[in-house]
DNA sequence: ATGAAAGCGCTAACAG
DNA sequence: CTGTTAGCGCTTTCAT
């Protein structure tokens, strides 16, 4: 008010500069003696700008330290250049490894990653509702997280691309592994070594977040048995809440039974660690008296010499990031479903039965 | 072109609706027979709106399924409602635990978390440069990551709030722990049990990312010795690259020396795990023949019965998120430095020397 | 090749 | 209490 009245504020109006008003495109335009349109063209590398003009504008941009406003560009273009990454249980090593991959590829593709750790099913609804809003994110990437059809529809209706990693959602572009085959691989390895009584330790199926990989690995475990003409003993299959503590308890119980198994296939390395601890407490030598196979090949697996089914965790994230990027940019035919290879890594936790 | 020519497109122009054009505020205004200003007031809960009008507008908003555009609101307000979270080595459990805390509080505060995993020092420069741009993020939160003064200045000059967790950067609002005291605590515990030859396993100080907590914990280790009138034996201090493998190797070397230690204090639980593995390989019983203390109290510590110095990892993240939120909102005097409590958790990896 | 101007969708100041 | 209007900073026709 009174400020605009006094014209003699000083040379160049050098105010204390609060939260630093930044240079705008029109200031650049004025300083270079061109229109804002031209500056915009220069910024975006449009062809129809004379070389002389381009140079002049570029120089001014440099001198003034001009940077385009993300918000303004976004509003004009109708895009945010960011994608939402939904992950369950950030504490699980395998999830984190994937996330690292996602972050690295998304950053390389020029997208911001808005990461959301979801610990409860209800959260998903709120998050989806939020992200399905206008000008919110350019896409959504699911990490090991299932999504109900209602939410899928919400996303589709918002015109938002959706992709997934480690979740086999039909109709959602995804990068996955063949869990059944992995289960078969692990079990077959044990059988080839001569084991007959092989136990399975995995997640209870009625998990609130609907993880299904454990169940599918169990399917592979069964398939391997049938393929070799053996009948899997139901009493050797123990399911419980995910976590190494639960796995440990279940193993202890298993080992205390009359006719205990000579080998155990755990649905994840985390659970395999629980199995190993149980064996130790029970005074059993691994692998001499008990063989153990895990799944995932997280970092610690190598450290403890755990034989496991390796899946490319980091890479699955990288590919997931690229997948959602492709969808957002609409360039080329996106992969509808990509299956990553599995590999048995033989370490020191498995051997022929003593 | 030709479309606007033909006026008879059909009833209501029901086009196939590409990426769903969403309802705008002016459509709501028109439908409710008021001006956009009034709608805006209703949305933002301004006081000066008649109850009748408010109801009418609210109803229309509901019917039309109106949601404000994040980008437009942001541009008008000059804020993004998002903060950048910079974390090093996402693979470390302690970092992940903190991040989980950050995400949860930032979400509660209504901010998007743009997470960046930085693996290399150069990356920090690029990230800071990017985030210091106009309308990019509302604030930056550092997680266990140091920042050079150049970068700090860049951020300040951009008028961006900056806060840190687990980094004691003078002049940056931060939530930290007293690493020196933690080191002292751990060492004193061992001394009280009667140990005299106590080794320290930690990070080499010249780490590219400039972590300093290990060095400060070592300081506490020394202080505890001096306080008890003992002279710490330099040959019992081993530093190397962070990681349990390195720790294992260093421990093996330590144990093989003539006059080996009876106890080892590791600068982190991760390293302590390496120490424990080494002891096992060496045929030493923990705690009877070797006591081990870690630092952090990550999840696995409890599982293996590791005595450790517990720090509130998740909570440090929560507080960090709240801190940066406060700074962004400029409400109230922000904390300049908050020190979180440390606590020795006595488990089964420490005992009197055999 | 380039300038002018119309949006993108919202907020806030101003005038009633 | 409420409508109008001027930005927020950029992209993109449309003329020239």
């Amino acid at each position: 008010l009174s400020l605009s009245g006094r014209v003699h504020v000083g040379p160049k109006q050098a105010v204390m500069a609060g939260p630093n008003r930044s240079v705008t495109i029109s200031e650049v335009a004025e300083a270079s003696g061109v229109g804002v349109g031209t500056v915009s063209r220069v910024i975006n590398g449009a062809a129809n700008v004379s070389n002389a003009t381009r140079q002049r504008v570029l120089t001014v941009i440099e001198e003034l330290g001009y940077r385009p406003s993300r918000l303004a560009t976004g509003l004009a273009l109708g895009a945010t250049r960011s994608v939402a990454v939904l992950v369950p249980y950030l504490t699980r090593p395998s999830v984190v490894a994937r996330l690292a991959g996602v972050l690295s590829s998304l950053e390389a593709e020029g997208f911001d990653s808005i990461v959301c750790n979801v610990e409860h099913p209800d959260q998903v609804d709120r998050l989806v509702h939020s992200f399905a809003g206008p000008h919110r994110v350019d896409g959504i990437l699911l990490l090991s997280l299932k999504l109900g059809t209602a939410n899928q529809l919400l996303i589709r209706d918002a015109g938002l691309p959706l992709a997934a990693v480690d979740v086999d959602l039909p109709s959602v572009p995804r990068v996955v592994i063949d869990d059944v085959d992995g289960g078969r691989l692990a079990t077959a390895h044990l059988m080839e070594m001569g084991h007959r009584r092989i136990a399975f330790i995995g997640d209870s199926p009625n998990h609130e977040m609907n993880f299904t990989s454990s169940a599918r690995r169990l399917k592979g475990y069964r398939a391997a048995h049938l393929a070799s003409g053996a009948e899997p003993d139901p009493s050797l299959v123990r399911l419980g809440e995910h976590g190494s503590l639960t796995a440990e308890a279940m193993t202890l119980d298993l080992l205390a039974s009359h006719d205990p198994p000579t080998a155990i296939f755990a649905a994840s390395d985390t659970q395999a660690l629980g199995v190993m601890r149980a064996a130790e407490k029970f005074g059993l030598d691994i692998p001499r008296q008990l063989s153990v196979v895990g799944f995932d090949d997280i970092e610690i697996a190598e450290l403890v010499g755990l034989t496991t089914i390796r899946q490319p965790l980091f890479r699955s994230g990288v590919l997931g990031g690229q997948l959602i990027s492709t969808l957002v940019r609409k360039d080329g035919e996106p992969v509808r479903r990509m299956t990553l290879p599995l590999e048995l890594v033989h370490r020191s936790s498995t051997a022929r039965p003593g």
Side-chain angles (χ1 to χ4, degrees), chain A:
Chain A
L1 305 168
S2 56
L3 262 182
S4 51
R6 318 182 186 180
V7 189
H8 39 64
V9 195
K12 285 285 181 184
Q13 292 200 286
V15 198
M16 263 279 288
N20 255 5
R21 238 196 45 69
S22 33
V23 184
T24 71
I25 197 175
S26 64
E27 293 173 324
V28 172
E30 183 170 9
S32 7
V34 302
V36 294
T38 302
V39 177
S40 177
R41 285 170 203 124
V42 171
I43 295 169
N44 301 303
N48 45 349
V49 179
S50 84
N51 237 305
T53 309
R54 179 185 305 283
Q55 275 318 316
R56 191 150 31 94
V57 172
L58 248 23
T59 309
V60 172
I61 285 180
E62 180 68 24
E63 283 172 351
L64 265 46
Y66 166 77
R67 316 266 310 268
S69 150
R70 191 79 174 250
L71 250 24
T73 308
L75 183 55
L77 253 38
T80 63
R81 296 214 63 75
S82 70
V83 344
V85 183
L86 271 40
V87 296
Y89 307 118
L90 204 50
T91 43
R92 299 197 186 174
S94 62
V95 170
V96 174
R98 286 198 166 90
L99 178 59
V102 170
L103 295 185
S104 105
S105 73
L106 239 29
E107 185 185 331
E109 301 273 3
F111 287 99
D112 281 347
S113 300
I114 298 180
V115 179
C116 299
N117 180 19
V118 6
E119 306 264 359
H120 190 73
D122 297 355
Q123 261 186 62
V124 181
D125 298 354
R126 289 205 310 277
L127 289 174
V128 168
H129 179 259
S130 162
F131 289 129
H135 293 165
R136 195 64 183 72
V137 292
D138 293 350
I140 298 185
L141 180 60
L142 264 27
L143 224 54
S144 310
L145 183 66
K146 255 197 174 162
L147 212 57
T149 40
N151 281 326
Q152 287 187 48
L153 246 56
L154 237 57
I155 295 175
R156 228 174 234 75
D157 289 352
L160 269 189
L162 175 65
V165 173
D166 190 39
V167 218
D168 214 347
L169 283 173
S171 86
V172 173
R174 57 209 183 276
V175 11
V176 296
I177 57 165
D178 187 337
D179 282 299
V180 178
D181 195 51
R184 187 167 11 225
L185 230 55
T187 313
H189 166 67
L190 257 11
M191 294 182 138
E192 278 163 19
M193 297 200 114
H195 291 277
R196 285 303 166 259
R197 285 193 66 73
I198 303 174
F200 176 87
I201 295 255
D203 303 359
S204 20
N206 50 350
H207 189 284
E208 56 170 0
M209 219 70 113
N210 260 325
F211 289 113
T212 52
S213 36
S214 171
R216 294 173 52 77
R217 288 165 196 176
L218 172 56
K219 213 169 183 174
Y221 160 92
R222 292 208 172 103
H225 276 83
L226 299 183
S228 83
E231 191 67 31
D233 179 348
S235 76
L236 290 183
V237 173
R238 303 297 171 95
L239 308 179
E241 191 196 335
H242 186 95
S244 99
L245 227 40
T246 313
E248 182 178 334
M250 294 192 294
T251 304
L252 248 19
D253 189 64
L254 215 41
L255 296 178
S257 66
H258 70 289
D259 204 8
T262 64
I264 299 183
F265 165 37
S268 73
D269 286 351
T270 300
Q271 288 164 313
L273 289 179
V275 172
M276 292 177 91
R277 272 205 316 281
E280 190 180 342
K281 286 189 181 169
F282 212 81
L284 254 42
D285 179 69
I286 292 176
R288 222 169 35 80
Q289 307 174 54
L290 183 72
S291 282
V292 182
V293 180
F295 206 112
D296 284 342
D297 195 29
I298 59 178
E299 219 174 285
I300 202 171
E302 178 173 8
L303 299 178
V304 301
L306 174 66
T307 294
T308 191
I309 303 296
R310 167 184 298 164
Q311 65 166 312
L313 294 170
F314 185 88
R315 197 155 72 88
S316 75
V318 169
L319 291 168
Q322 291 172 350
L323 180 50
I324 189 67
S325 300
T326 306
L327 291 166
V328 169
R329 301 217 164 85
K330 299 187 203 310
D331 42 52
E333 268 313 285
V335 186
R336 302 313 301 183
R337 184 172 191 279
M338 177 182 294
T339 306
L340 265 29
L342 294 175
E343 175 190 2
L344 177 96
V345 182
H346 190 171
R347 297 208 180 90
S348 52
S349 69
T350 50
R352 317 197 70 80

